[in-house]
Amino acid sequence: MSLTDLAGGFATVLSPSVLLLALLGCLAGTLIGVLPGLGPVTAVAVLFPLTTYLDPATGIIVLAAIYYGGMYGGSTTAILLNIPGETASVPTAIEGNLMTKRGRAGAALAMAAITSFVAGIVGTVGVWLIGPTLSRFALRFGPPEMLGLLIFSLVTIIGVTSTSLRRSVAACGVGMLIGAVGILPASSETRLTFGSTDLLQGFDIVPVMMGMFGLAEVLRTILRPPIRQHEVAVGSLRPTRQEFTAGMGAGVRGTGSGFFLGLLPGMIPTIASFLSFASEQRRARRRGSSRFGTGAVEGVAGPEAANNAAAMAGFVPLLCLGIPTGATMALVLAAMLVYGIIPGPLLFGQHPDFVASIIASFFVANVILLVLNLPLVGLWAKVTRVPTGLLMAIVASGCLLGAYLSENSFTDVWVCVVFGVVGWLLTEWGVPLAPLVMGMILGPLLEVAAQQSFALSPTFFLERPIFITFAALTALSVLFGMRMRRKGMAGDED
Amino acid sequence: MSAPVTTLRSAGLRAARATSDGIRGPWGLPILFAVLAAVGVAESLRLILVGATSEARAGGWYLLLVSMLIAVGALARPDRAATKPPAVPGPDVVAPESSVQAEPERRTHAHKAVIFFVATVAFAWALPWVGFAVANGFFVAAYLIWIDHRRWWHALLIAVVVDACLVTGLRLIDVVLPSGVLGIGI
């Protein structure tokens, strides 16, 4: 992608109407993100249907702004109240809240915002540089290569989520079972429809995700004992020189590791965040000057940067290969399909203007968040103390409306309700939802790729070097997952 | 008048507690996975044995594989935490403060979950008939009265204001809302 394309992208994004929408997206995303328990997945799930009324480029721009806003909101509550809005913010909450208790909340928030901004910008440049090259490489992919990649993605996400491997495997299987409902590929026969005409087209991903990540989250919030919040003094947003140096160092390291981990399909940002925290803790211990346990800024800056960089990097496999790296990316994929854009190797070549607008929007959303949300941090801290009842009611009705709007179908509203209960039940039982979502999205692709691969050659797995490479990577990812499990670092969700 | 309401409320609470206890028991998840795996196996066998085309039979084999994955979950050991009797606080066993307080609180919130579920089902059922504007207004009011425990007039006032703002805001961005048989909120 040329600089001219990118300049065109900026011209689109910097038009006043798009800028205003991006700004509103950031604010709405942050508003949902700061609500205890709700994170970027819920923010994107609830607000995504409204973006379908915009043109594709603007819709994705607003969606990216909502996503960033949700992530920012999650880290704010993690630092101020020790309530991570998403699992990726758990490491931030550990040291960030200790900094708050030391009266350094402002510095922690500022360093989280600055390092997230740096990671976001570096990640965006990475998407711009790596995306076109990977797309050209992916053009060589036939069904066997795609099959190898899909197996790798599923195995990775199973390996890195949840502390119970069996539950992760079964969750992935349930997702694939849900994805298998409907008319069989390349056949007129039906599967798992039980005679219902409503099920012939299978389940649409949007109402399923609205239910599992929206309604189920509201249900969990209702069941959770109310959080008694107290006034938190944010204090000065200016970090000391020592905090700034230590934080920036950790941020740069987190950005590097987070971006490269995030490029791997199935490697959710949560893992990058936890790995960065562990690596910073080890580094500090080795140097003999560990402030971990008393509020170390490295424990905030590193994970926040890694989380943001991995989230950015997740757009590379999504745009180039059509493979989401987690639940939020799955929603972005669903949104792109609704807009009529099919992500994959041809996207960079066929719609360079669209991709350029997305990349430009990442830059702009990062700048908006840094410039706007940091001064508003006091306001966000107050929002967390507003009784959540009304907001939860709006979130719930927004989910039901969103489910309807995705296809203008009342059946989808019922699908959303059913999957809301299913999502709540599964999380009550400790079943991770990320492998389920990935199984539901990637399962049908895997089935088609497997059928086509066997039709090409029954021994394709011995003949295709790229497939063999993916098989080796899958084996490595199994080993990595086992190691993480032993260390107790497997994450729960996207 | 109050006796039937009290009876209904206590029956609701009992149902909510029983559901909550059942869900959190050790066998709920393995049973769910076993049922799903059995459904998958039955359907896959149908496709493999009587599928008209080779694609249908291939689809059956795929489903069989998926069912095996789910069966792995059914074979998983029940949650140790769920099977183990709760530790009794005593001289040697000190229960963490949060867990002691959280459990009764969670139980009192279980009936709220039942109310939320009923309200959500009512919303989904009413949406095609009365449209979004009316269904949403009642849903928000019901949530605020029975889950957030606000005074009814306060809840109604908030619901009307929120509903009006939502509908106007959505119409401003050209969102076509379901208007029901009466065409309210077009």
Side-chain angles (χ1 to χ4, degrees), chain A residues 95-345:
Chain A
E95 291 301 316
N97 194 247
L98 287 171
M99 283 184 76
T100 301
K101 284 177 182 159
R102 274 203 295 122
R104 300 298 299 153
L109 286 164
M111 283 316 297
I114 292 166
T115 50
S116 292
F117 171 76
V118 171
I121 296 296
V122 171
T124 308
V125 173
V127 174
W128 176 46
L129 293 176
I130 296 173
T133 316
L134 184 64
S135 286
R136 277 194 294 277
F137 176 68
L139 283 172
R140 291 191 222 163
F141 282 20
E145 288 75 17
M146 206 58 201
L147 179 66
L149 176 64
L150 289 166
I151 293 173
F152 170 60
S153 307
L154 286 174
V155 169
T156 308
I157 201 140
I158 286 170
V160 298
T161 47
S162 175
T163 42
S164 164
L165 184 63
R166 287 181 188 176
R167 279 183 198 163
S168 285
V169 170
C172 184
V174 173
M176 290 164 94
L177 190 82
I178 296 166
V181 173
I183 299 173
L184 280 159
S187 169
S188 59
E189 288 199 50
T190 59
R191 189 168 51 186
L192 294 167
T193 58
F194 308 107
S196 162
T197 47
D198 286 328
L199 292 176
L200 284 179
Q201 295 298 317
F203 289 108
D204 185 19
I205 183 74
V206 177
V208 172
M209 301 255 319
M210 295 269 175
M212 287 204 300
F213 292 100
L215 279 189
E217 203 59 67
V218 175
L219 207 48
R220 272 193 290 277
T221 309
I222 290 171
L223 283 168
R224 203 177 292 141
I227 299 155
R228 291 170 190 93
Q229 290 155 11
H230 45 89
E231 187 92 39
V232 177
V234 173
S236 167
L237 290 173
R238 242 174 120 166
T240 60
R241 184 189 288 263
Q242 194 195 14
E243 281 171 341
F244 186 79
T245 317
M248 281 312 284
V252 169
R253 288 186 292 276
T255 302
S257 63
F259 185 78
F260 285 103
L261 280 172
L263 287 173
L264 301 174
M267 188 56 74
I268 50 180
T270 306
I271 303 304
S273 174
F274 273 88
L275 283 176
S276 168
F277 184 83
S279 138
E280 289 302 326
Q281 205 174 23
R282 250 195 329 268
R283 193 171 185 277
R285 212 176 293 145
R286 221 177 24 239
R287 289 161 74 99
S289 59
S290 179
R291 287 186 305 275
F292 276 79
T294 58
V297 74
E298 300 96 311
V300 176
E304 278 299 305
N307 176 20
N308 231 31
M312 278 309 319
F315 278 95
V316 175
L318 180 74
L319 296 176
C320 303
L321 308 166
I323 305 276
T325 49
T328 317
M329 286 296 144
L331 268 171
V332 176
L333 171 68
M336 291 176 87
L337 296 175
V338 170
Y339 301 140
I341 304 281
I342 299 167

Side-chain angles (χ1 to χ4, degrees), chain A residues 189-192 397 428-429, chain B residues 23 43 46 52 59 106 136:
Chain A
E189 288 199 50
T190 59
R191 189 168 51 186
L192 294 167
S397 75
E428 280 289 297
W429 280 320
Chain B
I23 286 165
E43 186 72 345
R46 181 185 72 81
R106 204 188 145 85
N136 182 58

